Amino acid sequence: MTATPASAAALCILCATLTGCGGGRTTSPFANLDPQAARELAHQIESTRAQVLEADLREAFAIHAPRNILLLSGGDADGAFGCGVLAGWRNAANPAERRPTFDVVTGVSTGALMATFAFLGEPRDDAQLRDVYTHLRDQDVMDGPFGPGPPNSVFDTTPLKRLIAHHVTDESIHRVAEAHRAGRRLYVATVELDSGSAVIWPLSKIASDAVSPGDGAAVNPAGVERFRQVLLAAASIPVLFPPVQIDGGLHVDAGIREAIFLRQAMLGFRKAYDDSQSNHQDPPTVWAIVNAKLRSSPEPVADNLLHIGVRSLTLYTESLQVFNLRDAAHLAAAHNPPFNFRWLSEPDELDAAPTAGLLGSMFDPNVTVKLYKAGEILAQYKHAPWHDGAPKLDEDPDAP
């Protein structure tokens, strides 16, 4: 879910303790390979995944070119801010600025957990996000620290598995499958630890493969479980939460590589626009919701290992958010046809968290309710709250 100060503190304290501990897996796809063979295997796996992604997108864009793409970042409990944005955006004071239907949705970490319901996009899905994120407590996500399971993490995520299973139902899978067949796409990312690669999972295709066409069709339990396992992996902060084994690999939160993600092929292929562009006067748009501040407030830092480590990790995470956001903006602008790029993040002046100290709760309803309301008000009542283009690193001194 991307490390917050509280989780970062635990990470700093416990990493040394965990070094050398083994998990439940006995073999790796890269075991006993020399470096060259390992690189070749990794390249082969990545190439196959890229081909699957491209084929999935070509199938979608043969139906219609993408007009609106939504990117959801990581941020742990700050996902409540993004949930509030989605709800407020639906009811924006200016009808012309209300939330569109998204052709492609991508999610990282907490954004991955939000993504299914943002993709489905009905009021009941907004309500489900609100109910989860504004009531969530640590015990709803994790047990521990240091339970009886394999010693590959500080906490056990059995509660999070139950939470995902409770909300990602057969009916949800049916609805995702229907959207997939209509040419819309849902993707979330993990990092596969052995190769170190980001893996983009075609969740809407997984749902479609699990459901036979037709109302009332049975859902393949194995397909539902795969969908849920990918979501669990996408939210598994390494060291704090156990990695999830999928297809022989160990998968964790993609926030260690990308805070937010977009790929060139998700913007559509030129052929997809040949017949559809003439029907639209406005350019297509990539929308990005950052479940965090891009610049945290100044604070006193004690000259000790814990405080320096936590503050450094916080600043690194912010930098990753900024540069991934800029990458996505440049990719959108460079596409033919170019996309508008619009984004928002938590306002710098938003102070939702109480002063609970470094080892406070990761999920506190007193905080998440404030985050939710801040996002909802921003998207609903502030005229055009979205920023255009890449976030600035500095100002043009000659600009008016």
Side-chain angles (χ1 to χ4, degrees):
M1 291 187 181
T2 308
T4 57
S7 61
L11 197 64
C12 292
I13 294 169
L14 296 164
C15 266
T17 305
L18 293 175
T19 301
C21 291
R25 186 174 66 158
T26 57
T27 59
S28 162
F30 296 90
N32 303 317
L33 297 181
D34 61 52
Q36 179 60 29
R39 285 190 292 269
E40 290 175 356
L41 176 59
H43 176 74
Q44 178 184 346
I45 293 171
E46 290 172 15
S47 178
T48 300
R49 288 172 176 156
Q51 291 170 13
V52 170
L53 178 65
E54 179 183 332
D56 189 46
L57 288 164
R58 285 192 183 278
E59 180 183 57
F61 300 151
I63 299 173
H64 58 80
R67 301 298 308 171
N68 289 282
I69 296 172
L70 177 65
L71 315 180
L72 298 168
S73 85
D76 285 354
D78 287 71
F81 170 80
C83 295
V85 168
L86 290 169
W89 190 6
R90 175 186 302 284
N91 302 307
N94 182 353
E97 295 176 354
R98 288 178 182 165
R99 171 178 160 188
T101 297
F102 302 109
D103 301 300
V104 178
V105 174
T106 78
V108 172
S109 193
T110 199
L113 297 181
M114 296 163 54
T116 297
F117 305 99
F119 177 74
L120 292 173
E122 296 182 9
R124 57 175 163 158
D125 303 303
D126 292 352
Q128 192 158 190
L129 287 174
R130 180 194 64 233
D131 291 345
V132 171
Y133 272 86
T134 60
H135 293 90
L136 203 61
R137 296 182 180 275
D138 287 1
Q139 57 264 36
D140 301 317
V141 176
M142 53 197 171
D143 289 329
F146 300 116
N152 59 358
S153 65
V154 178
F155 298 99
D156 177 71
T157 50
T158 297
L160 180 57
K161 294 177 190 176
R162 289 195 295 263
L163 187 70
I164 291 171
H166 179 72
H167 291 282
V168 179
T169 62
D170 286 4
E171 194 255 351
S172 299
I173 298 293
H174 263 286
R175 293 170 62 208
V176 172
E178 289 172 5
H180 179 87
R181 289 168 186 150
R184 299 172 57 218
R185 293 296 183 264
L186 170 63
Y187 300 104
V188 303
T190 64
V191 162
E192 197 279 309
L193 288 175
D194 291 276
S195 66
S197 299
V199 179
I200 297 174
W201 295 92
L203 274 191
S204 57
K205 177 174 171 51
I206 291 172
S208 181
D209 290 345
V211 180
S212 300
D215 292 337
V219 180
N220 181 349
V224 176
E225 179 60 20
R226 186 173 181 82
F227 192 105
R228 293 170 177 168
Q229 285 288 93
V230 170
L231 290 180
L232 179 65
S236 294
I237 307 167
V239 178
L240 293 183
F241 295 168
V244 178
Q245 290 191 49
I246 307 175
D247 300 338
L250 293 179
H251 291 264
V252 298
D253 187 330
I256 61 175
R257 263 203 178 277
E258 295 182 82
I260 201 165
F261 79 91
L262 176 68
R263 295 294 186 268
Q264 181 77 34
M266 295 174 184
L267 299 167
F269 308 94
R270 185 54 189 257
K271 288 181 179 179
Y273 291 93
D274 288 345
D275 298 326
S276 63
Q277 274 299 94
S278 59
N279 298 325
H280 297 275
Q281 299 300 317
D282 57 315
T285 303
V286 175
W287 308 85
I289 298 175
V290 181
N291 295 300
K293 294 181 181 181
L294 295 187
R295 184 177 179 85
S296 59
S297 301
E299 63 181 55
V301 178
D303 190 11
N304 61 55
L305 178 64
L306 178 59
H307 285 80
I308 291 170
V310 170
R311 183 62 170 170
S312 298
L313 186 56
T314 299
L315 297 178
Y316 168 76
T317 302
E318 290 173 1
S319 298
L320 189 66
Q321 296 273 22
V322 171
F323 285 103
N324 288 159
L325 202 57
R326 289 176 63 82
D327 286 344
H330 292 315
L331 194 63
H335 188 264
N336 186 8
F339 277 63
N340 284 338
F341 188 83
R342 311 193 77 191
W343 61 275
L344 57 75
S345 62
E346 292 178 22
D348 290 347
E349 65 274 14
L350 174 59
D351 296 315
T355 55
L358 290 172
L359 296 177
S361 297
M362 186 182 296
F363 299 94
D364 180 350
N366 294 316
V367 176
T368 54
V369 167
K370 293 178 182 178
L371 288 166
Y372 183 91
K373 288 181 178 178
E376 184 178 32
I377 290 170
L378 182 67
Q380 184 170 355
Y381 296 114
K382 184 177 178 181
H383 176 67
W386 300 87
H387 304 281
D388 290 312
K392 296 178 180 179
L393 295 180
D394 54 18
E395 297 292 337
D396 180 353
D398 295 327

